[in-house]
Structure formats: structure tokens, C-alpha cells
Amino acid sequence: MSSRLFSSVLDVTTPGRYPRAQKWVWRRVYNMLSRFWSDGDWRFMNYGYLPSDAPFSLQAEDEPERTFIGLYHQALDGLPVEGARVLEVGSGRGGGCRYIARYYAPASVTGLDYSPETVRRAERLNSDTPLLTFETGDAEAMPFADGTFDIVINIESSHCYGDVPAFAREVSRVLKPGGWFTFADMRPKSQVKVLDEQLAAPGLEPSARRNISPNVVAALDAAESRKQQRIRRAFLLKRFMSEFSGSKGSVLYKGLSSGQIVYVARRYRKTG
């Protein structure tokens, strides 16, 4: 029953199919999750990434979050983050912004999220981190001036948007010339080409394209035990959370493992 329900939710929220309903549903899902998981046990809400090569360095206190931090590490690896003004669009509970602020020496990090409850939760969970601010706002109409940021990062968030081309145009607008846009998210295999077309906003020059699905599945496997410990405490939401979190046997886990769902990573450079 829960798999059928979750499949129905995914059908409603397929990017571009029902744009108004899509944004309405996702906003309420994330508001609900922020109220339900109110503690600091989970600062991240992504599926994770484990690199195929040598592991990256982390402080001991951050080791429990390694799989989730991995998506941010791969997104920023090699980019000129030191001294940069960084924006994360779809910042969730703020774990990614916190990691960037603590490890990369940026000038500032701003997290933007559509869910007011999630923004309030991020502010409370990360109040100890300098250089970090959070704002409520729409990825398709960002509340920032042109050319404000050096780097824009977007991790596992765009599937919630009603108008991905509008989001890409906004990224191009708020980036400085020479700035970087780094992106990671999943799509059904049949929609990957469409996604690349949607992200091809004027001023954004493609720099790198990767399929990181195997690394994401490896991260899901590594985090399974920890997720199950938390899901067992969910009571009435237990089955839904198993699907939502990509646990083994879920619709999303099966899709990523079989290749029917593809997790992609992209980089773009702002021209001019």
C-alpha cells in the first residue's frame, strides 16, 4: 500500500507534469518533515554519495554524515570556493551549507529554501556556524540582485520545481560572470535529455556531465542501518518514510539500482 501511495505522489510531482500541484505538495511534505524530525540527528535530506576513489577528509564529529556530505564534496571538488559568495538553492535543514562554511573558507554562504518551516529548522540547527544565513524564497524567482554570487549549488532539489527552465534562468541571473553552477539530482532515464535542455539557460556554459547513480546507491546501502533505526521510531509514517528515504526495496532504490532512474551531476560556467 505504501509503495502504491508513494508512486502516486511521485506521479503528481513529476517535473513539469502538474507544476502548481507539484510545488504545493513538496512544500507541505518538507514542512511536515521539519516538524516531525525537529532534532539535530539529521542535518541532511539527500540520498548521499560515496566516491569510487580515496575518501575525502572529514573531522571526527562529521563522520556520521559522510555519505550525505559526499554529494556536496563531489559538487564543489576543484571549484574556487575560498573567498567566494556561495548560494545553495534548496538548502533544506542546512547541513550542506554548514559543511561548506566550515570546510571551504568562503566569504559567505546563503541557503535558500521554499519551505518556511524548514528554513526555521535550519536556522536553529546551524546557529553556531559563522558566515551562514538562510532565507525563504522561490528557486524560480530568487530574492537576490543580479550577479550576487560566485557559486550556486543545487543538490537533490530541482525535482520539486514547477518550472526548471525558470530556475536555470534565475541561476544565470544571480551568478557573477565567470561564476559556477554545480547541480546534482535524479530523473527517470527518459527525462535526462529533457533535464539537460531545461538547464541550458542563456549564459550557462556546460563544463562537466556525470552519471553518479552507482555512487548514490553505494551511499544508500551504507546509510541503511542508520535510517532504519530512525524509521522504526516513525510509527504511523514508518512505511512512507521507508519509501521517501530510499531504503532497500523502495521504489526509488529499485529505480536507481536498475538504471530506470538516473542520478546526474552537472557543472556550468557563467559566461561574460
Side-chain angles (χ1 to χ4, degrees):
M1 178 65 181
S2 61
S3 294
R4 292 196 297 271
L5 173 61
F6 193 74
S7 295
S8 298
V9 172
L10 288 177
D11 186 61
V12 171
T13 57
T14 296
R17 182 171 292 183
Y18 307 107
R20 291 183 180 177
Q22 179 179 329
K23 292 179 72 170
W24 186 91
V25 168
W26 281 120
R27 186 174 195 176
R28 278 149 185 81
V29 166
Y30 284 108
N31 278 340
M32 176 195 72
L33 291 173
S34 292
R35 289 190 294 270
F36 181 74
W37 278 347
S38 60
D39 57 44
D41 184 33
W42 295 88
R43 276 194 172 91
F44 294 86
M45 299 181 72
N46 67 57
Y47 280 9
Y49 173 98
L50 284 182
S52 305
D53 51 7
F56 54 93
S57 176
L58 280 179
Q59 298 175 22
E61 64 189 273
D62 295 318
E63 279 295 339
E65 312 290 354
R66 173 174 288 277
T67 55
F68 311 113
I69 289 173
L71 271 172
Y72 289 87
H73 175 78
Q74 67 81 29
L76 294 171
D77 190 30
L79 292 185
V81 187
E82 184 174 352
R85 297 190 66 185
V86 180
L87 169 66
E88 182 181 9
V89 182
S91 51
R93 295 165 68 91
C97 288
R98 182 174 185 267
Y99 167 70
I100 297 167
R102 294 175 64 231
Y103 281 82
Y104 288 88
S108 65
V109 182
T110 302
L112 181 74
D113 201 275
Y114 193 52
S115 163
E117 187 69 30
T118 302
V119 168
R120 287 191 288 271
R121 186 71 59 206
E123 289 173 337
R124 286 194 286 270
L125 290 175
N126 304 285
S127 60
D128 62 341
T129 306
L131 309 176
L132 180 55
T133 58
F134 294 96
E135 295 192 30
T136 301
D138 191 338
E140 300 162 28
M142 298 186 203
F144 307 112
D146 297 359
T148 299
F149 298 100
D150 303 292
I151 296 174
V152 174
I153 183 169
N154 186 243
I155 300 291
E156 205 171 298
S157 177
S158 71
H159 59 274
C160 302
Y161 304 163
D163 190 341
V164 175
F167 158 66
R169 291 192 295 271
E170 281 292 273
V171 170
S172 182
R173 181 184 67 79
V174 302
L175 269 177
K176 294 179 180 178
W180 291 91
F181 170 41
T182 180
F183 170 95
D185 206 353
M186 58 197 161
R187 289 292 192 277
K189 184 179 179 180
S190 61
Q191 292 187 21
V192 172
K193 182 179 178 181
V194 173
L195 172 64
D196 285 331
E197 293 171 351
Q198 292 173 332
L199 294 175
L204 294 181
E205 182 177 315
S207 173
R209 299 176 40 151
R210 293 189 296 146
N211 177 348
I212 61 172
S213 298
N215 306 88
V216 174
V217 172
L220 288 172
D221 289 340
E224 177 72 10
S225 176
R226 182 184 174 194
K227 282 189 292 188
Q228 288 301 328
Q229 290 177 12
R230 187 67 190 237
I231 288 169
R232 281 194 289 269
R233 297 158 53 188
F235 301 108
L236 296 177
L237 288 175
K238 185 182 297 184
R239 292 183 178 179
F240 179 83
M241 290 308 302
S242 292
E243 292 290 336
F244 183 83
S245 66
S247 294
K248 287 186 177 181
S250 67
V251 172
L252 290 173
Y253 183 91
K254 291 176 181 177
L256 285 166
S257 299
S258 68
Q260 294 306 303
I261 298 175
V262 182
Y263 209 117
V264 303
R266 301 288 189 259
R267 281 187 184 179
Y268 300 84
R269 189 85 183 268
K270 174 70 178 289
T271 59

PDB file of all heavy atoms in Angstrom, residues 74-109:
ATOM      1  N   GLN A  74      31.571  16.168  -3.883  1.00  0.00           N
ATOM      2  CA  GLN A  74      31.739  15.953  -5.322  1.00  0.00           C
ATOM      3  C   GLN A  74      31.291  17.174  -6.113  1.00  0.00           C
ATOM      4  O   GLN A  74      31.834  17.465  -7.171  1.00  0.00           O
ATOM      5  CB  GLN A  74      30.997  14.693  -5.774  1.00  0.00           C
ATOM      6  CG  GLN A  74      29.482  14.723  -5.695  1.00  0.00           C
ATOM      7  CD  GLN A  74      28.805  15.428  -6.850  1.00  0.00           C
ATOM      8  OE1 GLN A  74      29.344  15.438  -7.965  1.00  0.00           O
ATOM      9  NE2 GLN A  74      27.650  16.025  -6.595  1.00  0.00           N
ATOM     10  N   ALA A  75      30.303  17.896  -5.601  1.00  0.00           N
ATOM     11  CA  ALA A  75      29.793  19.068  -6.318  1.00  0.00           C
ATOM     12  C   ALA A  75      30.794  20.221  -6.320  1.00  0.00           C
ATOM     13  O   ALA A  75      30.870  20.994  -7.280  1.00  0.00           O
ATOM     14  CB  ALA A  75      28.484  19.529  -5.696  1.00  0.00           C
ATOM     15  N   LEU A  76      31.580  20.349  -5.242  1.00  0.00           N
ATOM     16  CA  LEU A  76      32.474  21.501  -5.089  1.00  0.00           C
ATOM     17  C   LEU A  76      33.940  21.173  -5.336  1.00  0.00           C
ATOM     18  O   LEU A  76      34.772  22.084  -5.406  1.00  0.00           O
ATOM     19  CB  LEU A  76      32.329  22.081  -3.678  1.00  0.00           C
ATOM     20  CG  LEU A  76      30.965  22.704  -3.372  1.00  0.00           C
ATOM     21  CD1 LEU A  76      30.860  23.042  -1.895  1.00  0.00           C
ATOM     22  CD2 LEU A  76      30.719  23.938  -4.231  1.00  0.00           C
ATOM     23  N   ASP A  77      34.264  19.897  -5.466  1.00  0.00           N
ATOM     24  CA  ASP A  77      35.662  19.491  -5.614  1.00  0.00           C
ATOM     25  C   ASP A  77      36.307  20.190  -6.813  1.00  0.00           C
ATOM     26  O   ASP A  77      35.837  20.090  -7.939  1.00  0.00           O
ATOM     27  CB  ASP A  77      35.734  17.973  -5.797  1.00  0.00           C
ATOM     28  CG  ASP A  77      37.152  17.441  -5.715  1.00  0.00           C
ATOM     29  OD1 ASP A  77      37.979  18.045  -5.000  1.00  0.00           O
ATOM     30  OD2 ASP A  77      37.443  16.415  -6.366  1.00  0.00           O
ATOM     31  N   GLY A  78      37.378  20.925  -6.539  1.00  0.00           N
ATOM     32  CA  GLY A  78      38.110  21.616  -7.595  1.00  0.00           C
ATOM     33  C   GLY A  78      37.617  23.005  -7.929  1.00  0.00           C
ATOM     34  O   GLY A  78      38.251  23.715  -8.724  1.00  0.00           O
ATOM     35  N   LEU A  79      36.518  23.449  -7.340  1.00  0.00           N
ATOM     36  CA  LEU A  79      35.998  24.788  -7.611  1.00  0.00           C
ATOM     37  C   LEU A  79      36.643  25.816  -6.671  1.00  0.00           C
ATOM     38  O   LEU A  79      37.036  25.487  -5.553  1.00  0.00           O
ATOM     39  CB  LEU A  79      34.480  24.818  -7.440  1.00  0.00           C
ATOM     40  CG  LEU A  79      33.666  24.029  -8.461  1.00  0.00           C
ATOM     41  CD1 LEU A  79      32.172  24.251  -8.232  1.00  0.00           C
ATOM     42  CD2 LEU A  79      34.038  24.402  -9.895  1.00  0.00           C
ATOM     43  N   PRO A  80      36.735  27.077  -7.094  1.00  0.00           N
ATOM     44  CA  PRO A  80      37.371  28.124  -6.289  1.00  0.00           C
ATOM     45  C   PRO A  80      36.441  28.666  -5.207  1.00  0.00           C
ATOM     46  O   PRO A  80      35.951  29.801  -5.292  1.00  0.00           O
ATOM     47  CB  PRO A  80      37.718  29.191  -7.326  1.00  0.00           C
ATOM     48  CG  PRO A  80      36.643  29.052  -8.359  1.00  0.00           C
ATOM     49  CD  PRO A  80      36.332  27.580  -8.428  1.00  0.00           C
ATOM     50  N   VAL A  81      36.211  27.878  -4.159  1.00  0.00           N
ATOM     51  CA  VAL A  81      35.231  28.238  -3.137  1.00  0.00           C
ATOM     52  C   VAL A  81      35.805  29.218  -2.112  1.00  0.00           C
ATOM     53  O   VAL A  81      35.072  30.047  -1.566  1.00  0.00           O
ATOM     54  CB  VAL A  81      34.706  26.977  -2.416  1.00  0.00           C
ATOM     55  CG1 VAL A  81      33.572  27.330  -1.472  1.00  0.00           C
ATOM     56  CG2 VAL A  81      34.244  25.929  -3.428  1.00  0.00           C
ATOM     57  N   GLU A  82      37.108  29.149  -1.852  1.00  0.00           N
ATOM     58  CA  GLU A  82      37.706  30.030  -0.845  1.00  0.00           C
ATOM     59  C   GLU A  82      37.487  31.494  -1.214  1.00  0.00           C
ATOM     60  O   GLU A  82      37.799  31.939  -2.324  1.00  0.00           O
ATOM     61  CB  GLU A  82      39.207  29.749  -0.716  1.00  0.00           C
ATOM     62  CG  GLU A  82      39.884  30.556   0.380  1.00  0.00           C
ATOM     63  CD  GLU A  82      41.330  30.161   0.588  1.00  0.00           C
ATOM     64  OE1 GLU A  82      41.771  29.157  -0.008  1.00  0.00           O
ATOM     65  OE2 GLU A  82      42.023  30.883   1.339  1.00  0.00           O
ATOM     66  N   GLY A  83      36.923  32.249  -0.291  1.00  0.00           N
ATOM     67  CA  GLY A  83      36.657  33.665  -0.515  1.00  0.00           C
ATOM     68  C   GLY A  83      35.451  33.953  -1.384  1.00  0.00           C
ATOM     69  O   GLY A  83      35.163  35.112  -1.684  1.00  0.00           O
ATOM     70  N   ALA A  84      34.703  32.922  -1.774  1.00  0.00           N
ATOM     71  CA  ALA A  84      33.564  33.093  -2.681  1.00  0.00           C
ATOM     72  C   ALA A  84      32.267  33.330  -1.912  1.00  0.00           C
ATOM     73  O   ALA A  84      32.122  32.914  -0.761  1.00  0.00           O
ATOM     74  CB  ALA A  84      33.410  31.860  -3.573  1.00  0.00           C
ATOM     75  N   ARG A  85      31.328  33.986  -2.572  1.00  0.00           N
ATOM     76  CA  ARG A  85      29.971  34.105  -2.058  1.00  0.00           C
ATOM     77  C   ARG A  85      29.162  32.957  -2.647  1.00  0.00           C
ATOM     78  O   ARG A  85      28.976  32.871  -3.862  1.00  0.00           O
ATOM     79  CB  ARG A  85      29.358  35.456  -2.433  1.00  0.00           C
ATOM     80  CG  ARG A  85      30.077  36.642  -1.830  1.00  0.00           C
ATOM     81  CD  ARG A  85      29.289  37.929  -2.037  1.00  0.00           C
ATOM     82  NE  ARG A  85      28.026  37.894  -1.299  1.00  0.00           N
ATOM     83  CZ  ARG A  85      27.088  38.847  -1.371  1.00  0.00           C
ATOM     84  NH1 ARG A  85      27.273  39.899  -2.181  1.00  0.00           N
ATOM     85  NH2 ARG A  85      25.985  38.758  -0.663  1.00  0.00           N
ATOM     86  N   VAL A  86      28.686  32.076  -1.779  1.00  0.00           N
ATOM     87  CA  VAL A  86      28.050  30.827  -2.198  1.00  0.00           C
ATOM     88  C   VAL A  86      26.561  30.857  -1.872  1.00  0.00           C
ATOM     89  O   VAL A  86      26.161  31.262  -0.777  1.00  0.00           O
ATOM     90  CB  VAL A  86      28.713  29.615  -1.502  1.00  0.00           C
ATOM     91  CG1 VAL A  86      28.052  28.310  -1.953  1.00  0.00           C
ATOM     92  CG2 VAL A  86      30.214  29.580  -1.783  1.00  0.00           C
ATOM     93  N   LEU A  87      25.758  30.400  -2.815  1.00  0.00           N
ATOM     94  CA  LEU A  87      24.325  30.240  -2.614  1.00  0.00           C
ATOM     95  C   LEU A  87      23.961  28.782  -2.821  1.00  0.00           C
ATOM     96  O   LEU A  87      24.307  28.191  -3.852  1.00  0.00           O
ATOM     97  CB  LEU A  87      23.536  31.098  -3.619  1.00  0.00           C
ATOM     98  CG  LEU A  87      22.021  30.831  -3.713  1.00  0.00           C
ATOM     99  CD1 LEU A  87      21.309  31.219  -2.428  1.00  0.00           C
ATOM    100  CD2 LEU A  87      21.415  31.554  -4.919  1.00  0.00           C
ATOM    101  N   GLU A  88      23.262  28.186  -1.839  1.00  0.00           N
ATOM    102  CA  GLU A  88      22.644  26.890  -2.075  1.00  0.00           C
ATOM    103  C   GLU A  88      21.145  27.087  -2.237  1.00  0.00           C
ATOM    104  O   GLU A  88      20.480  27.615  -1.339  1.00  0.00           O
ATOM    105  CB  GLU A  88      22.897  25.892  -0.941  1.00  0.00           C
ATOM    106  CG  GLU A  88      22.249  24.548  -1.286  1.00  0.00           C
ATOM    107  CD  GLU A  88      22.384  23.464  -0.241  1.00  0.00           C
ATOM    108  OE1 GLU A  88      22.839  23.758   0.887  1.00  0.00           O
ATOM    109  OE2 GLU A  88      22.019  22.320  -0.557  1.00  0.00           O
ATOM    110  N   VAL A  89      20.617  26.648  -3.371  1.00  0.00           N
ATOM    111  CA  VAL A  89      19.189  26.725  -3.641  1.00  0.00           C
ATOM    112  C   VAL A  89      18.578  25.369  -3.276  1.00  0.00           C
ATOM    113  O   VAL A  89      18.982  24.335  -3.799  1.00  0.00           O
ATOM    114  CB  VAL A  89      18.919  27.054  -5.115  1.00  0.00           C
ATOM    115  CG1 VAL A  89      17.418  27.184  -5.361  1.00  0.00           C
ATOM    116  CG2 VAL A  89      19.644  28.325  -5.528  1.00  0.00           C
ATOM    117  N   GLY A  90      17.607  25.388  -2.373  1.00  0.00           N
ATOM    118  CA  GLY A  90      17.055  24.152  -1.846  1.00  0.00           C
ATOM    119  C   GLY A  90      17.926  23.632  -0.714  1.00  0.00           C
ATOM    120  O   GLY A  90      18.358  22.483  -0.712  1.00  0.00           O
ATOM    121  N   SER A  91      18.166  24.479   0.273  1.00  0.00           N
ATOM    122  CA  SER A  91      19.163  24.193   1.310  1.00  0.00           C
ATOM    123  C   SER A  91      18.659  23.287   2.420  1.00  0.00           C
ATOM    124  O   SER A  91      19.446  22.830   3.254  1.00  0.00           O
ATOM    125  CB  SER A  91      19.682  25.499   1.915  1.00  0.00           C
ATOM    126  OG  SER A  91      18.624  26.337   2.309  1.00  0.00           O
ATOM    127  N   GLY A  92      17.351  23.011   2.465  1.00  0.00           N
ATOM    128  CA  GLY A  92      16.820  22.052   3.437  1.00  0.00           C
ATOM    129  C   GLY A  92      17.174  22.407   4.871  1.00  0.00           C
ATOM    130  O   GLY A  92      17.070  23.554   5.295  1.00  0.00           O
ATOM    131  N   ARG A  93      17.620  21.416   5.636  1.00  0.00           N
ATOM    132  CA  ARG A  93      17.931  21.586   7.046  1.00  0.00           C
ATOM    133  C   ARG A  93      19.302  22.213   7.275  1.00  0.00           C
ATOM    134  O   ARG A  93      19.719  22.397   8.414  1.00  0.00           O
ATOM    135  CB  ARG A  93      17.834  20.241   7.759  1.00  0.00           C
ATOM    136  CG  ARG A  93      16.408  19.694   7.764  1.00  0.00           C
ATOM    137  CD  ARG A  93      16.354  18.217   8.131  1.00  0.00           C
ATOM    138  NE  ARG A  93      16.708  17.963   9.509  1.00  0.00           N
ATOM    139  CZ  ARG A  93      15.845  17.919  10.521  1.00  0.00           C
ATOM    140  NH1 ARG A  93      14.556  18.139  10.287  1.00  0.00           N
ATOM    141  NH2 ARG A  93      16.236  17.643  11.740  1.00  0.00           N
ATOM    142  N   GLY A  94      20.011  22.554   6.191  1.00  0.00           N
ATOM    143  CA  GLY A  94      21.207  23.368   6.301  1.00  0.00           C
ATOM    144  C   GLY A  94      22.513  22.634   6.466  1.00  0.00           C
ATOM    145  O   GLY A  94      23.560  23.268   6.606  1.00  0.00           O
ATOM    146  N   GLY A  95      22.494  21.311   6.422  1.00  0.00           N
ATOM    147  CA  GLY A  95      23.735  20.569   6.615  1.00  0.00           C
ATOM    148  C   GLY A  95      24.771  20.850   5.549  1.00  0.00           C
ATOM    149  O   GLY A  95      25.970  20.958   5.835  1.00  0.00           O
ATOM    150  N   GLY A  96      24.335  20.977   4.301  1.00  0.00           N
ATOM    151  CA  GLY A  96      25.264  21.263   3.211  1.00  0.00           C
ATOM    152  C   GLY A  96      25.889  22.640   3.348  1.00  0.00           C
ATOM    153  O   GLY A  96      27.104  22.809   3.172  1.00  0.00           O
ATOM    154  N   CYS A  97      25.065  23.636   3.663  1.00  0.00           N
ATOM    155  CA  CYS A  97      25.595  24.992   3.870  1.00  0.00           C
ATOM    156  C   CYS A  97      26.601  25.006   5.022  1.00  0.00           C
ATOM    157  O   CYS A  97      27.641  25.672   4.954  1.00  0.00           O
ATOM    158  CB  CYS A  97      24.447  25.944   4.175  1.00  0.00           C
ATOM    159  SG  CYS A  97      23.391  26.340   2.767  1.00  0.00           S
ATOM    160  N   ARG A  98      26.274  24.299   6.070  1.00  0.00           N
ATOM    161  CA  ARG A  98      27.164  24.228   7.235  1.00  0.00           C
ATOM    162  C   ARG A  98      28.509  23.604   6.850  1.00  0.00           C
ATOM    163  O   ARG A  98      29.577  24.092   7.250  1.00  0.00           O
ATOM    164  CB  ARG A  98      26.493  23.408   8.340  1.00  0.00           C
ATOM    165  CG  ARG A  98      27.289  23.297   9.643  1.00  0.00           C
ATOM    166  CD  ARG A  98      26.441  22.594  10.688  1.00  0.00           C
ATOM    167  NE  ARG A  98      27.107  22.554  11.980  1.00  0.00           N
ATOM    168  CZ  ARG A  98      27.869  21.553  12.402  1.00  0.00           C
ATOM    169  NH1 ARG A  98      28.068  20.507  11.596  1.00  0.00           N
ATOM    170  NH2 ARG A  98      28.429  21.582  13.594  1.00  0.00           N
ATOM    171  N   TYR A  99      28.463  22.531   6.083  1.00  0.00           N
ATOM    172  CA  TYR A  99      29.699  21.888   5.618  1.00  0.00           C
ATOM    173  C   TYR A  99      30.537  22.850   4.786  1.00  0.00           C
ATOM    174  O   TYR A  99      31.759  22.968   4.998  1.00  0.00           O
ATOM    175  CB  TYR A  99      29.343  20.644   4.806  1.00  0.00           C
ATOM    176  CG  TYR A  99      30.489  20.071   4.014  1.00  0.00           C
ATOM    177  CD1 TYR A  99      31.568  19.449   4.647  1.00  0.00           C
ATOM    178  CD2 TYR A  99      30.501  20.148   2.625  1.00  0.00           C
ATOM    179  CE1 TYR A  99      32.622  18.926   3.915  1.00  0.00           C
ATOM    180  CE2 TYR A  99      31.548  19.623   1.880  1.00  0.00           C
ATOM    181  CZ  TYR A  99      32.602  19.009   2.531  1.00  0.00           C
ATOM    182  OH  TYR A  99      33.644  18.489   1.798  1.00  0.00           O
ATOM    183  N   ILE A 100      29.913  23.553   3.862  1.00  0.00           N
ATOM    184  CA  ILE A 100      30.652  24.495   3.009  1.00  0.00           C
ATOM    185  C   ILE A 100      31.296  25.589   3.847  1.00  0.00           C
ATOM    186  O   ILE A 100      32.465  25.932   3.672  1.00  0.00           O
ATOM    187  CB  ILE A 100      29.717  25.102   1.948  1.00  0.00           C
ATOM    188  CG1 ILE A 100      29.191  24.010   1.013  1.00  0.00           C
ATOM    189  CG2 ILE A 100      30.449  26.174   1.136  1.00  0.00           C
ATOM    190  CD1 ILE A 100      28.034  24.459   0.141  1.00  0.00           C
ATOM    191  N   ALA A 101      30.527  26.157   4.777  1.00  0.00           N
ATOM    192  CA  ALA A 101      31.030  27.253   5.611  1.00  0.00           C
ATOM    193  C   ALA A 101      32.205  26.806   6.484  1.00  0.00           C
ATOM    194  O   ALA A 101      33.142  27.574   6.719  1.00  0.00           O
ATOM    195  CB  ALA A 101      29.907  27.802   6.482  1.00  0.00           C
ATOM    196  N   ARG A 102      32.182  25.576   6.956  1.00  0.00           N
ATOM    197  CA  ARG A 102      33.206  25.091   7.895  1.00  0.00           C
ATOM    198  C   ARG A 102      34.454  24.558   7.212  1.00  0.00           C
ATOM    199  O   ARG A 102      35.532  24.565   7.798  1.00  0.00           O
ATOM    200  CB  ARG A 102      32.609  24.003   8.787  1.00  0.00           C
ATOM    201  CG  ARG A 102      31.526  24.512   9.729  1.00  0.00           C
ATOM    202  CD  ARG A 102      30.869  23.387  10.498  1.00  0.00           C
ATOM    203  NE  ARG A 102      31.825  22.719  11.381  1.00  0.00           N
ATOM    204  CZ  ARG A 102      32.011  21.403  11.414  1.00  0.00           C
ATOM    205  NH1 ARG A 102      31.318  20.625  10.604  1.00  0.00           N
ATOM    206  NH2 ARG A 102      32.878  20.881  12.247  1.00  0.00           N
ATOM    207  N   TYR A 103      34.331  24.097   5.956  1.00  0.00           N
ATOM    208  CA  TYR A 103      35.453  23.401   5.325  1.00  0.00           C
ATOM    209  C   TYR A 103      36.108  24.165   4.173  1.00  0.00           C
ATOM    210  O   TYR A 103      37.233  23.842   3.793  1.00  0.00           O
ATOM    211  CB  TYR A 103      35.007  22.035   4.798  1.00  0.00           C
ATOM    212  CG  TYR A 103      34.909  20.970   5.865  1.00  0.00           C
ATOM    213  CD1 TYR A 103      33.780  20.879   6.680  1.00  0.00           C
ATOM    214  CD2 TYR A 103      35.932  20.051   6.064  1.00  0.00           C
ATOM    215  CE1 TYR A 103      33.672  19.896   7.661  1.00  0.00           C
ATOM    216  CE2 TYR A 103      35.841  19.062   7.037  1.00  0.00           C
ATOM    217  CZ  TYR A 103      34.710  18.992   7.832  1.00  0.00           C
ATOM    218  OH  TYR A 103      34.615  18.021   8.807  1.00  0.00           O
ATOM    219  N   TYR A 104      35.445  25.152   3.590  1.00  0.00           N
ATOM    220  CA  TYR A 104      35.941  25.744   2.343  1.00  0.00           C
ATOM    221  C   TYR A 104      36.348  27.210   2.451  1.00  0.00           C
ATOM    222  O   TYR A 104      36.762  27.798   1.467  1.00  0.00           O
ATOM    223  CB  TYR A 104      34.882  25.600   1.244  1.00  0.00           C
ATOM    224  CG  TYR A 104      34.732  24.183   0.738  1.00  0.00           C
ATOM    225  CD1 TYR A 104      33.851  23.305   1.356  1.00  0.00           C
ATOM    226  CD2 TYR A 104      35.461  23.726  -0.349  1.00  0.00           C
ATOM    227  CE1 TYR A 104      33.706  21.995   0.900  1.00  0.00           C
ATOM    228  CE2 TYR A 104      35.321  22.428  -0.820  1.00  0.00           C
ATOM    229  CZ  TYR A 104      34.444  21.565  -0.190  1.00  0.00           C
ATOM    230  OH  TYR A 104      34.299  20.275  -0.643  1.00  0.00           O
ATOM    231  N   ALA A 105      36.209  27.819   3.609  1.00  0.00           N
ATOM    232  CA  ALA A 105      36.595  29.219   3.820  1.00  0.00           C
ATOM    233  C   ALA A 105      35.966  30.176   2.805  1.00  0.00           C
ATOM    234  O   ALA A 105      36.657  31.015   2.218  1.00  0.00           O
ATOM    235  CB  ALA A 105      38.118  29.361   3.788  1.00  0.00           C
ATOM    236  N   PRO A 106      34.652  30.101   2.585  1.00  0.00           N
ATOM    237  CA  PRO A 106      34.006  31.062   1.685  1.00  0.00           C
ATOM    238  C   PRO A 106      33.860  32.420   2.367  1.00  0.00           C
ATOM    239  O   PRO A 106      34.000  32.538   3.590  1.00  0.00           O
ATOM    240  CB  PRO A 106      32.641  30.432   1.444  1.00  0.00           C
ATOM    241  CG  PRO A 106      32.353  29.721   2.740  1.00  0.00           C
ATOM    242  CD  PRO A 106      33.676  29.187   3.213  1.00  0.00           C
ATOM    243  N   ALA A 107      33.548  33.432   1.579  1.00  0.00           N
ATOM    244  CA  ALA A 107      33.244  34.736   2.165  1.00  0.00           C
ATOM    245  C   ALA A 107      31.892  34.698   2.874  1.00  0.00           C
ATOM    246  O   ALA A 107      31.707  35.317   3.929  1.00  0.00           O
ATOM    247  CB  ALA A 107      33.237  35.804   1.079  1.00  0.00           C
ATOM    248  N   SER A 108      30.937  33.968   2.306  1.00  0.00           N
ATOM    249  CA  SER A 108      29.605  33.824   2.907  1.00  0.00           C
ATOM    250  C   SER A 108      28.912  32.637   2.267  1.00  0.00           C
ATOM    251  O   SER A 108      29.234  32.228   1.139  1.00  0.00           O
ATOM    252  CB  SER A 108      28.767  35.091   2.707  1.00  0.00           C
ATOM    253  OG  SER A 108      28.509  35.305   1.330  1.00  0.00           O
ATOM    254  N   VAL A 109      27.938  32.093   2.982  1.00  0.00           N
ATOM    255  CA  VAL A 109      27.087  31.024   2.445  1.00  0.00           C
ATOM    256  C   VAL A 109      25.642  31.384   2.757  1.00  0.00           C
ATOM    257  O   VAL A 109      25.292  31.654   3.910  1.00  0.00           O
ATOM    258  CB  VAL A 109      27.410  29.649   3.063  1.00  0.00           C
ATOM    259  CG1 VAL A 109      26.528  28.570   2.436  1.00  0.00           C
ATOM    260  CG2 VAL A 109      28.880  29.290   2.881  1.00  0.00           C
TER     261      VAL A 109
END
